[in-house]
């Protein structure tokens, strides 16, 4: 019995007209569509008169649902995987099913289309010849700061996704660690309220504060200059972030800052004394 095919179908990130003709055909011909949110996907299917059966596949049921879908593929059924928007497998649970299918030697076929990261990069005006996609930064403040420090010397354009409730803190942390770099923030790309904010990181923060915090955000940040080093990060601002935003006790914050910044504890301790005097 021939194996089925797992189709990775990119869907619009906003404007439904961005779907491809091939995607419409594959969604119509598949035996089942595995969707992150069946209610959301049903709107797309109704728009294009697609009546293929839907089944849910999301982050909370992937471990139990992926084997069921693979079993259908092994039976010769074709499965189309879609996410809420954009290309499946990019910052969503699609990779789990894809890896399982690959392990079983099931054909996995991409149906290309929209991806928010590339759409944002294409209009950013920042270098596009070399870039790195970071997806979502860690939600915990200390972990997020550590990751940004690791990226501080990255000499490729940086691309991030961020949630509305964390966007301002993420930009603040970027300013602390990455400094006064050029940045572009996009919100609700291809949708009615599409917005592109440009400037240095502090400028983008101010523009965003004066506008809406709703929607899907992509942040594009200028790469580090060649030969950049961690010494460009302000130890005082980093320590303040650990104490004031993360809520770490000063002793613990000093130890964390010294480790993360590669500086002697004595130097960080002196900076901590100044912060106390200011407070």
């Amino acid at each position: 019995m021939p194996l089925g095919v797992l189709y990775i179908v990119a869907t619009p990130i906003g404007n439904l007209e961005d779907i491809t003709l091939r995607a419409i055909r594959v969604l119509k011909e598949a035996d089942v569509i595995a969707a992150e949110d069946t209610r959301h996907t049903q709107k797309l299917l109704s728009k294009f008169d697609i009546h293929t059966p839907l089944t849910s596949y999301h982050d909370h049921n992937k471990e139990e649902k992926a084997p069921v879908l693979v079993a259908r593929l092994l039976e010769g059924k074709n499965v189309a995987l879609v996410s809420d928007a954009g290309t499946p497998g990019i910052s969503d649970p699609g990779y789990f099913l894809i890896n399982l299918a690959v392990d079983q030697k099931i054909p996995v076929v991409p149906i290309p289309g929209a991806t928010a990261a590339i759409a944002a990069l294409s209009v950013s005006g920042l270098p596009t010849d070399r870039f790195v996609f970071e997806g979502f930064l860690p939600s915990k403040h200390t972990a997020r700061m550590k990751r940004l420090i690791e990226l501080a010397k990255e000499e490729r354009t940086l691309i991030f996704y961020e949630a509305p409730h964390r966007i301002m803190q993420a930009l603040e942390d970027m300013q602390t660690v990455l400094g006064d770099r050029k940045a572009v923030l996009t919100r609700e790309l291809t949708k009615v309220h599409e917005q592109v904010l440009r400037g240095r990181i502090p400028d983008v923060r101010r523009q965003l504060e004066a506008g809406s915090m709703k929607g899907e955000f992509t942040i594009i940040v200028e790469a580090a200059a060649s030969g950049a080093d961690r010494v460009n990060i302000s130890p005082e601002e980093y320590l303040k972030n650990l104490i004031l935003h993360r809520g770490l006790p000063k002793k613990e914050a000093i130890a964390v800052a010294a480790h993360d910044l590669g500086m002697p504890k004595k130097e960080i301790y002196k900076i901590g004394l100044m912060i106390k005097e200011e407070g």
Side-chain angles (χ1 to χ4, degrees):
M1 178 186 298
L3 298 172
V5 177
L6 175 60
Y7 291 100
I8 310 304
V9 184
T11 55
I13 58 175
N15 193 320
L16 296 183
E17 293 179 1
D18 290 337
I19 196 167
T20 68
L21 295 175
R22 187 182 178 204
I24 293 173
R25 177 180 62 78
V26 168
L27 291 175
K28 285 183 175 181
E29 294 177 356
D31 293 292
V32 65
I33 298 171
E36 204 170 357
D37 184 333
T38 55
R39 292 170 298 179
H40 180 86
T41 299
Q42 186 58 59
K43 297 175 184 178
L44 175 69
L45 302 187
S46 297
K47 169 75 174 178
F48 295 102
D49 195 31
I50 299 170
H51 303 285
T52 305
L54 273 171
T55 188
S56 66
Y57 173 79
H58 48 73
D59 200 43
H60 300 294
N61 74 352
K62 63 186 180 187
E63 293 187 10
E64 61 185 53
K65 200 59 174 286
V68 174
L69 292 170
V70 166
R72 298 198 67 177
L73 288 159
L74 291 172
E75 293 170 358
K77 303 297 184 182
N78 293 329
V79 176
L81 176 67
V82 300
S83 61
D84 282 351
T87 302
I90 308 298
S91 290
D92 70 24
Y95 74 92
F96 191 85
L97 174 59
I98 293 167
N99 283 344
L100 202 57
V102 169
D103 287 344
Q104 295 295 321
K105 302 189 184 324
I106 293 167
V108 180
V109 176
I111 309 299
T115 301
I118 299 301
L121 180 65
S122 72
V123 300
S124 69
L126 293 175
T128 59
D129 54 334
R130 296 173 68 239
F131 59 89
V132 56
F133 174 66
E134 276 294 309
F136 290 92
L137 285 166
S139 58
K140 299 292 185 180
H141 181 260
T142 300
R144 184 166 60 243
M145 294 289 277
K146 284 184 177 180
R147 184 63 189 135
L148 286 169
I149 285 174
E150 292 169 353
L151 293 168
K153 295 188 289 183
E154 175 59 64
E155 295 180 13
R156 294 171 291 179
T157 300
L158 299 166
I159 306 176
F160 304 93
Y161 286 161
E162 195 49 87
H165 65 283
R166 288 198 303 265
I167 185 64
M168 290 306 298
Q169 184 61 59
L171 287 170
E172 182 177 336
D173 292 345
M174 287 179 188
Q175 183 176 339
T176 298
V177 176
L178 305 179
D180 193 27
R181 298 192 194 181
K182 292 180 182 178
V184 176
L185 183 145
T186 68
R187 184 179 73 86
E188 296 289 83
L189 280 181
T190 80
K191 299 179 183 178
V192 174
H193 300 292
E194 175 179 288
Q195 187 176 32
V196 180
L197 305 180
R198 306 173 189 275
R200 301 283 175 177
I201 294 176
D203 302 326
V204 171
R205 283 181 60 198
R206 285 191 290 270
Q207 292 176 64
L208 185 59
E209 281 180 323
S212 173
M213 302 290 178
K214 297 179 180 179
E216 301 296 327
F217 292 94
T218 303
I219 311 165
I220 315 290
V221 181
E222 179 182 29
S226 180
D229 205 346
R230 290 185 178 185
V231 294
N232 294 322
I233 300 167
S234 166
E236 182 177 356
E237 289 302 315
Y238 190 68
L239 189 58
K240 279 183 179 179
N241 264 284
L242 292 175
I243 296 170
L244 302 179
H245 295 291
R246 181 68 178 92
L248 293 180
K250 183 167 288 187
K251 184 177 180 181
E252 183 180 347
I254 288 170
V256 170
H259 176 270
D260 291 349
L261 300 176
M263 295 177 63
K265 266 190 184 180
K266 288 183 179 179
E267 290 186 30
I268 301 295
Y269 177 76
K270 291 177 183 177
I271 294 170
L273 291 177
M274 289 189 288
I275 292 175
K276 183 178 181 180
E277 289 170 4
E278 291 175 1

